[in-house]
Structure formats: C-alpha cells, structure tokens
Amino acid sequence: MMHRGTLTLALTLAAVLAAAPAAAQRAPREGRAGAGPASAQADSPNPVKRTWDFTKRFGIPRFDPQDCTSDPARLAAMLEDYNARVDAFLAGPTDPKKLGLERKNYVKQVLGTARDIAAWRETFEATGQRSPDSDVPPLAADICRAQMQRHQLLALRDGLRAMARVYPDMAEIAPQLAEADAALAQMGDDAAIRRKVEANRAAALAQVRMKPPVARNPALEKGLHDGFARLVPDETILRLHLYSSDWYVHRNAITSVPEYRQIGAWVATRRSDGTCWISGIDLWQNYTGGGFDAGEYKLGRAPQQILCENLPG
C-alpha cells in the first residue's frame, strides 16, 4: 500500500508536468557555435548568447599543410566554413559589450601574424636553396614546400579580413593585411612558384663542386672504379677521388679485435641524358681471423648533380 505522503508527492509532480507547455518539453538544447553548420549560430536570437558562442571559436585560422595533393581542397573547404560562420554571425544581432571584452585578445592575435608572415615568406624565398654538400630532394618536393607557405598565408589573410569585418575600427589589422597581401603577391601563382624554386635550385647547383682526393692509391682507385662500373653500368665514369686517406678499421669495443674495414671514393659520372653526377662507393671487407676477405663494393650516399663544366679538369 502506498504511503499517504508518497501518494501526495506523486500527484503533485504529475500535475506540474502536465501543466508544462508541450513545446518547452520538446525544445532541443542550444548547439554550440562551431559544432555544426554555420547557420546554427543564427538559432539563438539572444545577442549575448550568439556573441559568446562566436567568440569562443573565432580567431585567426591556422592551416596545417599535409601534402600538395589534398591541401588545396582542404584549404578551400576550411575557409568556406570559416567565412560562412563569420557571415552567419554578422547577419544576426551581436553584443558590442562582449566584443569589446574580447578585443584585446584579438589585437594580440592580429599583431602575432607579423611573425608568421615573415617566417613563411622567408621559408618560401629560401626553398630550393641549399649548401653544395646538401642532399637534393626531387623538384616536386621543393615546389610542394613553397606552396605550403602560400596555403598558410591564404588562411591567415582570410582571418585578417574576417577580423576587419568583426572589428571595422581595429587599426592594427590594416598593416598586417598589407604584409600578407604583399607576401602572396610576391609568391604568385603555381607557375611563378615553380620558376622561383627552379631558379633557387639552379643557383645552388652552380655552387656544387667535387672535392679533391685526400690521397692517391692506384690499386684501390682501380678496384673502386671497376666496382662502380659493375654496379652502375649505364653511367660513364669521368673522375674518381678517394675520400679516405687510409682504411677505416672498426674494432670490437671489448676485445679490440678488428671486425671489418672500409675505404671509399667520390665518383663523377655522365648519364645518358648528358647530366653529370657525383656518387659515392665504398669497399667493405670483413675480418676473417687471419686477415680481411675480398670484400664487397657498395654504393654510398645518394647521387648529387653537378654541372659538367664544374668538374675538375
């Protein structure tokens, strides 16, 4: 049997629920700005609520480059969504007080873009440049790296433009926006980027030289020459310079007994397309107890291009 007090409480709760408007029981919870479509920001007619939700997620966007195949589409989708959210916010009522409270934070973000613009511009300008001894990646890799700097700048520029729409009187925006525009104009389109990278690579290539031999040993030189010819039969050997004055002997750390020895050389070659390259070759010989075996010839570091006219005579 239900206790009299319990019965009274149950009847009271039922009456309260029955009196509540049906629409209030069905009303969905407010979505957070940035958690759904851009139009979700217009769901609330409350200026304070809308402005609070918007400023929690608004700021200068940062694009994360990943690869040049997917980056353009990813960037376009990101900026389309970003600008749609700004459009949706500005199309409805806003709270000037809340925007005023957030202004200092946004000024800091705007001023911080100067460092990013300078860094991306510097990286772009240097892409393709390298020291004469550096490894040289494929042309496509350098072009991709240069394009990544432009992609990041495009996202930043849209952020500055959006900031100017939200804060039309923020004087700090115009100088940074001018710098971003100037940097993007300097980079140009894909064709201009390719020309820039190719020019940088050509200038770097012109500085490549073959190092002089550190020693002479006709027997070792002949062995390395013949070994390279067997490993790379489709290239013509032009020069061979020993880069070791003597054998490097690797010994056991505990017993000091030799385990193997190695000696090598730089090899300059001409390929069938007329280009010249510098490669490395090494002779590795294992210690057998009473001496070293005949060993094995192995190619060294990746080939590096050199202008044929810059090879020693």
Side-chain angles (χ1 to χ4, degrees), residues 88-123:
F89 172 68
L90 294 177
T94 63
D95 178 31
K97 182 178 179 180
K98 176 59 177 174
L99 288 176
L101 291 174
E102 296 293 336
R103 185 187 184 98
K104 184 176 180 180
N105 169 52
Y106 290 136
V107 167
K108 184 178 180 180
Q109 288 190 40
V110 168
L111 295 177
T113 62
R115 179 179 60 254
D116 293 328
I117 294 170
W120 295 331
R121 199 172 192 171
E122 181 179 358
T123 299

Side-chain angles (χ1 to χ4, degrees), residues 224-246:
L224 290 163
H225 180 286
D226 294 345
F228 189 91
R230 288 193 299 272
L231 293 172
V232 192
D234 55 347
E235 296 186 18
T236 302
I237 298 175
L238 304 174
R239 304 284 297 183
L240 187 145
H241 290 172
L242 290 177
Y243 57 62
S244 306
S245 59
D246 200 355

